[in-house]
Amino acid sequence: MTDLFNPDPNKFNSNYNNSNNQNNTNNPDNSIGSNFRRDAKNSKKIEYVVLVAFLVMMVLMYVRRTKNEEDAQAAANAQYQSIVCLSPAGAEILSDLGAEGLIKARTDFCDYPSRLKAIPSVGGFAGETLSVETILSYKPDFVYGAKGMHDFLEAPLKESGVTLFLSEASSIDAVYDEIITVGGYIGRTSEAETLVKNMKDSISQITAAYNSSDKPAVYYEVWNTPYMSIGRKSFISDLILTAGGLNVFDDQNSDYPSVSEEAIIARDPKIILLPNMNGVTADDVKARTGWTNVSAVKSGKIYLIDADLYSRPGPRIVDAVAGLAKILHEEN
C-alpha cells in the first residue's frame, strides 16, 4: 500500500538530483525535494499509525466478542455443586432431581421432604432473618431464592462470585420451565425432563378424569386481617383453573391482592379454601357478620387445606391439582 500511494523519498531524491546541475547546490529550487521528502516521511508515519490503530481495534473487538461467547457458553454449561437453598419450593425441586446432596444449607421452611431438616439452616424465609455472611459461610456457588423476597442478595452475592437464582413461577408452565432451568444449572437436565414429563402426564390424567363443564367459583383466603386473596398472576389461581374451578378474584392483576369483605360477599363463592397456617377455621368463617348468605357458607363447603402443598410452586403441584379436583367435583 505504501509503495503504490507514496513514492519512496530516497528514489525520488536521486532522480531529482541527477536531472539537475550538481553545482547548483545553492539553487532555491532544491528546496522542493527537501519539502517533498519531509511530506512523504510524515505521510508514511501517519499511515502506519492509522494501520496499527485499526489492527488494534480489530483485535480488541475479536477478544471482546470471544470473551462474551465464552461467558455465555460457560453459563450454559455451568454445573453448580454447592447450593444454599432459601426457597421451600426450590428445595422440593432439588430433592426430586436427586440433588439433595448438593444442598449445604437451607432455611427453616425448606422442610419437605422431612429428611431435609437434617441440613443446617441459615434462618427463616423472610429477608430480614437472613445474613449474607451466614449464607457465604457455607461456600455456595449457587443460591436458590424467591423473587420479591431475596432480591436484596443479588449485589453482595455477585460481588462474591456466587450465582443467585430467583424463583418466579406464576403458572404451572412456569414451574415446568423452572425445573428444566435448574436441572441444567446442576447437570441434571435428563432428570429434569423426565420429572416434567411425568408431572404433565399426571395432571393430564387428573383433568381428563374430572372433565366437567361445571366450574365452581372459588375464594382462596391468603389472610384475613386485612383480607387478602389470589389474583390471576398467582400460580395458585392456575392450579384452581386447571383443576376445573374459577378464582373469584381472577380479574385482579397482582399476585396476592388485598380485597374488601364486601367484595368477597358480593362475588358469592361456591367454595372457600382456608390454608391451615392462618389459624382460621370453617366455624370462624360461618360466624362472620354478613357471610350467612354466601353460597359456600350455606352449603358448608369451606375447606381447610395444606398451606405448603398449595402454595409451593414445585413438583407437588400434581398433588395440589388432584386435591383441588376432588374438592371441586367429587364433593360437590
Side-chain angles (χ1 to χ4, degrees):
M1 183 186 298
T2 301
D3 289 337
L4 289 174
F5 295 99
N6 293 289
D8 187 281
N10 293 325
K11 290 180 181 180
F12 182 89
N13 186 49
S14 175
N15 294 335
Y16 179 82
N17 288 338
N18 288 337
S19 65
N20 288 279
N21 194 313
Q22 297 296 325
N23 294 325
N24 288 337
T25 56
N26 295 324
N27 191 331
D29 291 341
N30 285 339
S31 63
I32 297 176
S34 175
N35 290 338
F36 191 92
R37 286 194 300 273
R38 186 163 54 250
D39 293 343
K41 287 181 179 179
N42 289 339
S43 178
K44 187 174 182 180
K45 288 179 180 178
I46 293 172
E47 183 182 19
Y48 178 79
V49 170
V50 171
L51 179 61
V52 169
F54 175 77
L55 292 174
V56 169
M57 181 181 69
M58 294 300 292
V59 169
L60 290 175
M61 288 177 62
Y62 174 80
V63 170
R64 187 179 298 111
R65 184 175 66 251
T66 302
K67 181 67 167 60
N68 290 341
E69 291 171 351
E70 289 176 350
D71 289 346
Q73 189 62 43
N77 295 335
Q79 294 186 4
Y80 299 101
Q81 298 297 316
S82 182
I83 302 172
V84 169
C85 188
L86 309 178
S87 163
E92 296 189 22
I93 289 172
L94 292 171
S95 179
D96 272 32
L97 293 178
E100 287 180 20
L102 302 182
I103 304 175
K104 307 307 176 185
R106 62 180 182 93
T107 67
D108 297 338
F109 293 90
C110 297
D111 55 5
Y112 187 89
S114 59
R115 58 181 174 270
L116 292 180
K117 295 177 182 178
I119 298 174
S121 174
V122 294
F125 179 61
E128 60 268 18
T129 68
L130 298 172
S131 160
V132 176
E133 291 74 17
T134 301
I135 291 172
L136 292 177
S137 71
Y138 289 93
K139 303 187 185 316
D141 53 18
F142 186 84
V143 172
Y144 198 154
K147 186 71 175 176
M149 186 66 70
H150 304 123
D151 305 64
F152 74 98
L153 293 169
E154 186 171 1
L157 290 180
K158 183 177 182 180
E159 186 177 343
S160 299
V162 178
T163 296
L164 173 64
F165 177 82
L166 296 175
S167 173
E168 197 177 5
S170 58
S171 66
I172 291 176
D173 284 341
V175 174
Y176 297 149
D177 291 342
E178 182 171 322
I179 291 171
I180 295 297
T181 298
V182 171
Y185 278 136
I186 61 175
R188 284 170 170 76
T189 298
S190 177
E191 292 89 338
E193 291 173 346
T194 299
L195 175 58
V196 167
K197 181 181 182 304
N198 291 340
M199 291 171 65
K200 287 181 176 181
D201 290 345
S202 296
I203 288 179
S204 293
Q205 291 173 9
I206 294 166
T207 55
Y210 293 101
N211 186 20
S212 172
S213 58
D214 180 30
K215 297 186 182 299
V218 179
Y219 166 59
Y220 187 104
E221 186 167 285
V222 176
W223 199 246
N224 68 319
T225 50
Y227 286 103
M228 183 180 295
S229 188
I230 54 171
R232 69 165 171 265
K233 292 184 179 179
S234 165
F235 94 97
I236 301 175
S237 184
D238 197 22
L239 292 180
I240 292 172
L241 183 64
T242 302
L246 292 175
N247 169 21
V248 295
F249 287 107
D250 187 61
D251 59 338
Q252 299 297 304
N253 286 323
S254 84
D255 295 353
Y256 302 101
S258 294
V259 297
S260 69
E261 189 172 25
E262 292 76 15
I264 300 168
I265 295 171
R267 296 186 185 215
D268 191 29
K270 303 299 184 289
I271 294 171
I272 295 176
L273 301 177
L274 303 172
N276 58 3
M277 67 176 182
N278 295 346
V280 177
T281 67
D283 288 338
D284 293 331
V285 175
K286 292 176 182 178
R288 290 174 180 172
T289 302
W291 288 59
T292 53
N293 289 323
V294 173
S295 294
V297 174
K298 289 194 294 185
S299 64
K301 293 177 180 177
I302 305 171
Y303 300 90
L304 201 63
I305 59 173
D306 184 339
D308 291 343
L309 177 63
Y310 288 87
S311 65
R312 294 182 181 182
R316 288 197 293 162
I317 59 173
V318 173
D319 298 329
V321 171
L324 279 172
K326 184 176 181 179
I327 290 173
L328 297 177
H329 304 294
E330 282 191 6
E331 300 182 13
N332 291 284

